Amino acid sequence: MHEGAPVNPWVALAYLVAGICFILALRGLSSPASSRRGNRLGMLGMAIAVVTTLITHEIASPIELGAAIAVGGAIGFVTARRIAMTAMPQLVAAFHSLVGMAAVLVAAAAFLNPGAFGILGTDGEILSVSRIEMGLGVAIGAITFSGSVIAFLKLNGNMSGKPILLPGRHVINLGVLAGILGLIAYFVTDQSPWVFWTVTALSFVIGFLLIVPIGGADMPVVVSMLNSYSGWAAAAMGFTLHNSAMIITGALVGSSGAILSYIMCRAMNRSFISVIAGGFGATDGGGAAGQAIDRPWKRGSAEDAAFLMSQAEQVIIVPGYGMAVAQAQHALREMGDKLKEHGVRVKYAIHPVAGRMPGHMNVLLAEANVPYDEVFELEDINSEFAQTDVAFVIGANDVTNPAAKTDKSSPIYGMPVLDVEKAKTVLFIKRSMGGVGYAGVDNELFYRDNTMMLLADAKKMVEEIVKSLD
C-alpha cells in the first residue's frame, strides 16, 4: 500500500458508510416508488467517498480541485436539466464511455509512473499483482469506452440500428479476446511498453467489434451490459489505487449490471454467453426486415377509440418508445383517469425492453403519477389479454409483434412479447403505416381483423380521446 493510502480507522468507516449507501441506493432503484430515495442515497454515498478521498490524499491543490469540481458539476447539472427522457439511453451510454476512459487513463498513469501509485517492488519493477490489475483494468475500460461510443451512435441515430455483420465475426472476436488475455498473462513476466499498449489497442478494437453486430431490438441489453463493464473497470482501478471505496462501488455496479443483463437476456430469450461474445440476436438472413407488408388494415378515429374503451370492462395500456418520443405519458394518465370514471378497470403492461433502456417506461409512467399498483410486468399480465376487451398500444412496436413467436426468419424471433393480439380489440397508435419498428421489422398485428390503427402523433391522439370521453 503506498504512502497516500488511508490507514485511519475513521477513513475505513467513512468508506464503509459510503458502501452501505450504495447498496441501499441500488435497492431503492429497483422500484419506481423508492427510486428517488435510492438516488439521494447514491448521491450521499458518493459525496462521502469523494470528500474522504480528497481529505486523505494529496491529489492537487484546493484551487485546482475546486475548479475541476465546479466545471464537472456545471456540465452535469446543465446536461441533466436539458436532457429529454427519450435521450436518456444515449446519455447513459455516454456516461459509461467516460467511466471506461477514466479507467484507461488511470491504468496508463500507473504504468508510466508506478512510483506515484506505490506499486513498485524492491527490484524497481511493477508488482506482479499490480500488473494483473492494471492489465484487466485497461482492457475492461477500453472495451467499455469503444463499446459505449458505438451504443451511443446507434441510439442517437448517428449509426444505423441494424446489425452490421462482419464475415467470421465470432472467430475474430474470440481471437482478439484470446490475444488480450494472453498478453495480460505475458505482461506479468514482461512489463515492456509494447505489451501494455498492445493490450490497450486490442481492447479498444474488441469493444467496437462486440457492439457493431448488435441490432436495435437488443440495445437495452447492451446498455445494461456496458453498465456492468464500467463497474468492473472501476473495481479493477480501485485495486491499482488502493481505494476500497472504488472497489466496493465498482463491484456493486458490475455485479448488479451483470444480474440485470441476465434478467434482460431471459426476458428476450437470448443467451447470456452470446451477449458477452457480441452479435447476439443478429442473423445473416432477415425475413421481412425493413419491409412494410402490403395488406389491408382498418383505420379508426379518436371517437371510435373513446367509444370502444368507455364500453369495456378492462383496458390494458401498452406504452412504448413512441409514447416517450411524443411525451404523451401525462395525457395517457389523464385518459386512464377518465376511463376509471366510466367504471373501466385500467392496467398498464410493461415489456422489459419497451423503450431503449431498462425501466424506461416505468420511469415515464411514474413521472406522470400513474399509480404503481396499476403497472404490471410482462410475466404478470400476459395471461390477462385473452380476457381483456381493449388493448391500447401507444408506440410499442417490436414488443407486441406476434412474428416473434411464429417467424423463425425474423430478427426478433424467440423474444417474449406481450400477447396483445389476444384482446377482443387492439387499438394501435402509430404515426403512419410507412415505418417499421426499431428492429427493422414490420408488425403483422397491424393487419389483424381485431386491430384498429389510430394514425397520428401519440400525444395529440390521446388528448383527442380524452376530449371524446368527456
Side-chain angles (χ1 to χ4, degrees):
M1 185 174 291
H2 63 289
E3 60 181 359
V7 293
N8 191 316
W10 291 105
V11 174
L13 178 61
Y15 283 149
L16 177 61
V17 172
I20 293 172
C21 286
F22 294 142
I23 294 172
L24 294 176
L26 288 173
R27 181 179 180 181
L29 291 172
S30 65
S31 169
S34 57
S35 59
R36 291 188 177 182
R37 183 175 69 251
N39 267 314
R40 295 190 185 102
L41 286 169
M43 293 166 63
L44 175 62
M46 185 56 67
I48 293 173
V50 169
V51 171
T52 303
T53 301
L54 293 180
I55 292 175
T56 57
H57 293 72
E58 294 182 6
I59 300 173
S61 70
I63 295 177
E64 292 172 330
L65 286 173
I69 292 172
V71 172
I75 293 173
F77 180 81
V78 172
T79 302
R81 294 282 295 178
R82 292 184 177 180
I83 197 71
M85 273 303 301
T86 50
M88 196 61 68
Q90 47 264 54
L91 177 67
V92 172
F95 282 165
H96 289 163
S97 72
L98 295 179
V99 176
M101 181 52 72
V104 172
L105 294 177
V106 170
F111 177 73
L112 295 173
N113 190 9
F117 290 80
I119 56 176
L120 281 178
T122 55
D123 56 358
E125 293 194 342
I126 300 174
L127 296 171
S128 297
V129 66
S130 296
R131 296 188 205 179
I132 297 174
E133 297 163 359
M134 193 184 305
L136 290 175
V138 75
I140 300 172
I143 291 171
T144 303
F145 174 78
S146 55
S148 298
V149 169
I150 298 302
F152 172 85
L153 294 175
K154 281 178 172 280
L155 290 166
N156 205 44
N158 302 108
M159 282 183 67
S160 171
K162 296 180 180 180
I164 300 175
L165 307 178
L166 302 176
R169 61 190 181 279
H170 296 303
V171 175
I172 295 174
N173 290 351
L174 291 174
V176 175
L177 286 171
I180 292 172
L181 293 175
L183 284 171
I184 292 176
Y186 181 69
F187 188 52
V188 176
T189 60
D190 183 359
Q191 65 175 53
S192 299
W194 74 267
V195 181
F196 178 82
W197 297 116
T198 301
V199 169
T200 305
L202 288 177
S203 300
F204 279 123
V205 171
I206 194 62
F208 170 83
L209 294 175
L210 286 174
I211 306 303
V212 161
I214 300 176
D218 296 319
M219 200 52 64
V221 186
V222 174
V223 174
S224 173
M225 179 181 68
L226 290 171
N227 178 58
S228 178
Y229 287 177
S230 67
W232 296 123
M237 288 302 96
F239 283 104
T240 300
L241 295 173
H242 304 287
N243 189 302
S244 57
M246 280 187 68
I247 297 171
I248 294 171
T249 306
L252 285 172
V253 173
S255 56
S256 61
I259 293 170
L260 179 58
S261 297
Y262 177 73
I263 294 172
M264 298 288 285
C265 286
R266 288 190 60 188
M268 298 179 67
N269 195 31
R270 306 301 194 202
S271 164
F272 185 70
I273 299 301
S274 65
V275 174
I276 306 301
F280 62 101
T283 58
D284 295 299
Q291 301 175 1
I293 305 172
D294 186 16
R295 287 164 54 184
W297 51 276
K298 291 187 295 186
R299 181 169 188 169
S301 64
E303 292 77 13
D304 297 329
F307 176 78
L308 288 168
M309 287 192 289
S310 64
Q311 301 301 309
E313 290 185 9
Q314 175 166 288
V315 172
I316 297 181
I317 299 171
V318 181
Y321 188 69
M323 182 196 75
V325 172
Q327 289 291 288
Q329 61 268 27
H330 295 281
L332 191 66
R333 191 218 63 209
E334 186 179 358
M335 186 189 81
D337 292 342
K338 293 289 183 184
L339 289 173
K340 285 184 280 187
E341 290 175 6
H342 282 76
V344 180
R345 189 166 57 253
V346 177
K347 296 183 178 182
Y348 296 80
I350 306 296
H351 192 282
V353 295
R356 294 188 184 176
M357 68 180 293
H360 201 174
M361 296 301 106
N362 301 76
V363 172
L364 289 175
L365 294 179
E367 178 190 335
N369 295 318
V370 171
Y372 301 128
D373 58 359
E374 294 179 5
V375 181
F376 298 86
E377 300 297 328
L378 177 145
E379 62 272 12
D380 298 322
I381 201 170
N382 233 9
S383 60
E384 292 195 32
F385 282 104
Q387 291 81 41
T388 297
D389 299 294
V390 177
F392 185 84
V393 185
I394 174 169
N397 198 330
D398 297 324
V399 299
T400 63
N401 194 338
K405 296 179 286 187
T406 59
D407 185 1
K408 293 185 178 180
S409 67
S410 174
I412 62 173
Y413 178 72
M415 182 179 78
V417 294
L418 291 162
D419 296 332
V420 296
E421 78 278 3
K422 295 181 180 179
K424 293 178 182 177
T425 301
V426 179
L427 300 176
F428 204 114
I429 295 183
K430 195 172 184 290
R431 280 187 173 274
S432 69
M433 295 297 292
V436 293
Y438 192 58
V441 183
D442 199 18
N443 193 341
E444 64 178 59
L445 178 65
F446 303 157
Y447 315 100
R448 296 287 180 98
D449 293 335
N450 63 332
T451 300
M452 181 180 292
M453 301 299 299
L454 307 174
L455 302 184
D457 174 80
K459 185 178 181 180
K460 291 181 179 178
M461 175 57 73
V462 174
E463 288 173 344
E464 290 179 12
I465 293 174
V466 171
K467 291 179 182 178
S468 299
L469 288 171
D470 287 334

